[in-house]
Amino acid sequence: MEVLYGLHPVEEAIRSGARALDHVSVARERRDERLERLIELCRTAGVRVSLESRDQLTRLARTDAHQGVLAVVRERKFLGIEDLLAPKEEGKHRFFLALDGVEDPHNLGALLRTADGAGVDGVILPERRSAPVTATVAKTSAGASEHVRIARVTNLVRALEQMKQKHVWVLGLDERGTPDYTEYDFKGDCVLVLGREGAGLHDLVKKTCDHLLRIPMAGQVSSLNVSVAGAVVMFEAMRQRRQTAAPPAARKPSKERKGLGS
């Protein structure tokens, strides 16, 4: 069993239904509308609710950032790369995110939150040299980690090669890459690979990429934080893909303009 804490992570764990909840504990000292809504959601979902002291929740969560809410849930079961590569609806292109050694749980949580918001079809994490999906990650992601499809792989390079065999383009983000990310066409099947904090992509991962994209920087700093850089590119990809999916808006017939000199 694992512990989740915070209003958003616990609420999203209940809503997603991805894993069973043993019970939810709430602080006796807290009583407000948001907490009452959460308790009502638990009752609707058939999840047992218990009252505990705030100090007891702090001991269980090992932090005082629990907001008076804690859930005991079953350990998360991760997908395999084959699950992510299962055929999608005809005409729908897939967009994935792969993380090459992101070890900061706050960066991982922020990336999972962005991945959910940008409609990413799945996230690939290596088993080694990667932050585990903990309660801290869930809290940082505001509960989005409970909705994102995550595959854990033993060897990231091998997983990327499998994706290439399924006609998925592998795109690494690198400050020395070309072209700029805005010049790339994201409207096909592709996976965006982000590297380690500070060090970037491992050499073998970089060599596996079909293209290396860069984010142009106008200031003195050469690169962005990995979670910010990932958000920039993921939402550019979403923008392009939405333009493809949406039918062109009908143009209104232009009226003859009248004014001075007409």
Side-chain angles (χ1 to χ4, degrees), residues 216-231:
M217 303 291 289
Q220 300 303 309
V221 179
S222 62
S223 63
L224 298 170
N225 168 275
V226 64
S227 64
V228 176

Side-chain angles (χ1 to χ4, degrees), residues 179-198:
D180 289 355
Y181 76 101
T182 54
E183 297 170 359
Y184 187 81
D185 184 353
F186 288 97
K187 295 188 284 291
D189 287 350
C190 53
V191 52
L192 173 66
V193 190
L194 303 178
R196 301 160 287 171
E197 296 94 341

Side-chain angles (χ1 to χ4, degrees), residues 42 54 67 98 151 213 215:
C42 290
R54 183 174 290 274
Q67 299 177 299
L213 310 180
I215 298 176

Side-chain angles (χ1 to χ4, degrees), residues 200-217:
L201 298 169
H202 287 92
D203 287 341
L204 196 52
V205 172
K206 192 182 295 187
K207 290 177 182 177
T208 308
C209 294
D210 296 305
H211 298 282
L212 293 175
L213 310 180
R214 67 185 287 269
I215 298 176
M217 303 291 289

Side-chain angles (χ1 to χ4, degrees), residues 103-125:
E103 297 183 340
D104 186 326
H106 297 92
N107 280 335
L108 177 56
L111 284 164
L112 293 178
R113 185 174 186 175
T114 302
D116 179 65
V120 169
D121 293 291
V123 177
I124 300 97
L125 301 177

Side-chain angles (χ1 to χ4, degrees), residues 1 15 31 39 65 94 98-100 102 108 126 173 193 197 209 211 216 239:
M1 305 296 281
R15 292 188 189 282
R31 276 293 176 270
I39 292 173
R94 296 167 295 181
L99 303 182
D100 176 24
V102 173
L108 177 56
L173 195 60
V193 190
E197 296 94 341
C209 294
H211 298 282
R239 183 191 69 81

Side-chain angles (χ1 to χ4, degrees), residues 31-103:
R31 276 293 176 270
D32 55 59
E33 188 176 343
R34 288 184 68 192
L35 189 62
E36 292 301 328
R37 285 201 302 267
L38 179 66
I39 292 173
E40 185 57 35
L41 180 64
C42 290
R43 288 173 181 152
T44 303
V47 177
R48 180 168 58 91
V49 178
S50 66
L51 296 177
E52 304 282 354
S53 69
R54 183 174 290 274
D55 289 342
Q56 175 66 4
L57 294 186
T58 299
R59 282 192 291 272
L60 292 172
R62 298 181 181 179
T63 175
D64 58 1
H66 48 70
Q67 299 177 299
V69 180
L70 179 146
V72 177
V73 299
R74 291 197 179 276
E75 186 176 351
R76 180 171 189 147
K77 293 183 179 179
F78 293 99
L79 303 174
I81 195 70
E82 299 81 7
D83 299 311
L84 295 188
L85 292 174
K88 201 174 180 182
E89 184 182 342
E90 188 175 352
K92 298 286 187 181
H93 293 294
R94 296 167 295 181
F95 181 57
F96 302 105
L97 175 68
L99 303 182
D100 176 24
V102 173
E103 297 183 340

